[in-house]
Amino acid sequence: MAHDMAHDARLRALEDGLRAQDPRFSEAMDAGEPCVPREYRRGRAWLLLLAGLTALGVGIGIGHGLLLATGLVVSGLAVHLFDPDRPRPRGLFSRR
């Protein structure tokens, strides 16, 4: 009986940790409609990568160094967003 209570406490702690880490995923699981966990949501990264590569291509095409450099920087930032273990921002503009 004590073993079951310890097991339930560990499951509750795991559930609370998941709820704090990714509330959208946790709420979707509670509703029975699972969504993709935060680590695999990469829509913004793909959009930023597309914009960066576009700027890079146009910069190469027209020979504009500043546009080319901007495309390289934006593409580099986008690639960083594909890392599932990257630290999550906390502050004024972070999504909760």
Side-chain angles (χ1 to χ4, degrees):
M1 188 70 135
H3 177 66
D4 290 338
M5 291 177 68
H7 184 66
D8 288 343
R10 284 188 291 190
L11 284 175
R12 179 73 58 204
L14 182 62
E15 180 182 358
D16 292 342
L18 178 62
R19 189 173 307 279
Q21 183 181 13
D22 193 353
R24 178 178 161 201
F25 178 73
S26 181
E27 290 169 7
M29 289 298 286
D30 287 344
E33 301 171 1
C35 72
V36 177
R38 176 180 295 176
E39 292 83 18
Y40 300 104
R41 290 184 225 142
R42 296 194 173 111
R44 290 181 184 168
W46 282 111
L47 186 62
L48 195 59
L49 183 62
L50 178 65
L53 291 177
T54 301
L56 179 65
V58 171
I60 290 171
I62 65 173
H64 194 274
L66 187 58
L67 187 58
L68 194 146
T70 302
L72 284 172
V73 170
V74 170
S75 296
L77 289 172
V79 169
H80 175 71
L81 293 177
F82 282 100
D83 181 12
D85 297 324
R86 76 185 195 284
R88 301 288 172 220
R90 297 282 182 235
L92 183 62
F93 297 109
S94 65
R95 284 178 36 185
R96 296 177 194 219

